[in-house]
Amino acid sequence: MKTRRTETIERKRLVPHTVDGETELVLDTEYIEVPAPPRDWDQLVRIGVTIGACILVTVALVWSTSAIGGLLALSVVAVVAYAAAVAFDMTWIMCMAVEWLLRYDPARAKTARRAGRWSLVVSMAAVFAHGYVFEQPVIGIVGAAVSALAKGGWGIAMRVHARPLDDRTQQWVTKRRAAVDGQLAMIPIRRELQRGQATVEAEQRTLTESGSTDPDQSGPSANGSGPSAPPIDRKSLTTKDAVRIAWEDGIRDRDGVIHDAAQRLGRPVSPDSVDRYLRDLKRGA
């Protein structure tokens, strides 16, 4: 009689344990034997097909690089020739990778599939040209077929892993992906806007602190001061107001005006702005 295969699993649970009349929940570990699930031969075959496709692609890459590199080495340095030869097969391999990533988006995967086929044709033509130049056209044809077989093997592996969707489910997936893609696209856009806004705010702070901008240009002229001037709200002073107050208090020295205005405003003032306002006050006097 055939014994059924089992496997040991570890199970942990909290159980009450009492010591000296005090009970606490402690972790108890037990090992039990359960029937082992049957071997999934379909999954094993699927893995084998995938590994075989990867091996085929690797062989095709090595063979094509060797053949095309030998052809290009007739006119350039060998290192450069073989480095450039990698591009021929890497192009259609990259297209296959993109096709894999877009396997649930047939509309976008179609472009990658078409580009991969054209890249494969170019690579096969280059391998055949190598055999033709060295007067071995049969070897060129057989060598070119290596890439075609690798591409076909990968296509078979793709079909094994494919999960076709019906039309309505595909539309649902497309709409949900579009919504998520929109949210993902907004992440760098928000970062860009935040960086731009931070740069603008930093520039404004720099210009204000250095006195390169004149926030008082829209205020009244300084030579309009005098006994008839309206009272000034000292809680919302501007540089122009602070200079006028210092002038009315009898301060005529430039450095004294700058010091008095800075104290009233609670921040440094621009010497250029102070000079301009003092000139206006002197002309009005």
Side-chain angles (χ1 to χ4, degrees):
M1 182 176 179
K2 186 176 180 181
T3 304
R4 188 172 184 181
R5 193 164 57 93
T6 62
E7 63 180 13
T8 302
I9 63 173
E10 178 182 335
R11 177 176 296 173
K12 295 184 178 182
R13 59 177 181 172
L14 292 173
V15 296
H17 183 67
T18 304
V19 176
D20 295 334
E22 298 290 337
T23 302
E24 297 288 348
L25 291 176
V26 297
L27 193 64
D28 180 64
T29 303
E30 62 177 347
Y31 298 92
I32 59 176
E33 297 286 333
V34 297
R39 190 179 299 275
D40 189 352
W41 291 104
D42 289 347
Q43 180 63 18
L44 293 177
V45 172
R46 187 177 294 110
I47 294 174
V49 170
T50 305
I51 294 175
C54 293
I55 293 174
L56 284 175
V57 171
T58 303
V59 171
L61 177 62
V62 173
W63 174 265
S64 297
T65 301
S66 177
I68 301 173
L71 177 65
L72 298 177
L74 296 176
S75 58
V76 296
V77 181
V79 176
V80 178
Y82 285 97
V86 176
F88 283 82
D89 269 17
M90 280 301 299
T91 304
W92 62 264
I93 292 174
M94 288 175 58
C95 290
M96 289 194 309
V98 174
E99 185 181 351
W100 166 267
L101 295 175
L102 299 178
R103 60 189 182 278
Y104 297 119
D105 194 345
R108 297 170 62 191
K110 185 181 299 182
T111 302
R113 188 180 304 111
R114 185 181 299 112
R117 290 172 180 172
W118 281 107
S119 301
L120 176 63
V121 170
V122 173
S123 178
M124 293 174 62
V127 174
F128 173 75
H130 172 263
Y132 180 81
V133 168
F134 286 93
E135 298 181 353
Q136 295 177 335
V138 176
I139 295 180
I141 294 174
V142 175
V146 174
S147 297
L149 291 173
K151 183 74 165 63
W154 184 262
I156 292 174
M158 285 283 296
R159 289 181 176 275
V160 169
H161 292 278
R163 296 291 184 270
L165 303 176
D166 62 87
D167 182 63
R168 290 188 176 183
T169 304
Q170 185 64 58
Q171 294 182 42
W172 183 89
V173 171
T174 301
K175 290 185 177 181
R176 292 301 296 268
R177 180 182 288 112
V180 175
D181 288 345
Q183 296 176 0
L184 292 174
M186 288 303 299
I187 294 175
I189 293 175
R190 290 193 184 98
R191 289 176 179 172
E192 180 182 356
L193 294 175
Q194 290 173 357
R195 285 195 299 266
Q197 184 62 36
T199 303
V200 171
E201 293 175 356
E203 181 72 11
Q204 291 176 345
R205 287 195 300 268
T206 303
L207 294 176
T208 301
E209 292 174 359
S210 64
S212 298
T213 58
D214 182 11
D216 308 312
Q217 290 180 358
S218 59
S221 174
N223 47 13
S225 61
S228 61
I232 298 175
D233 183 9
R234 294 177 182 267
K235 295 182 180 180
S236 58
L237 288 178
T238 64
T239 302
K240 187 178 297 184
D241 296 331
V243 172
R244 194 176 76 178
I245 293 172
W247 179 271
E248 292 174 351
D249 289 343
I251 302 175
R252 298 293 186 266
D253 179 66
R254 174 179 179 272
D255 294 335
V257 173
I258 293 175
H259 179 73
D260 184 84
Q263 285 187 334
R264 294 179 186 278
L265 295 173
R267 58 177 173 81
V269 296
S270 169
D272 295 336
S273 298
V274 172
D275 290 339
R276 183 169 63 254
Y277 299 147
L278 286 176
R279 286 195 298 268
D280 293 340
L281 290 169
K282 290 177 181 178
R283 284 196 297 268

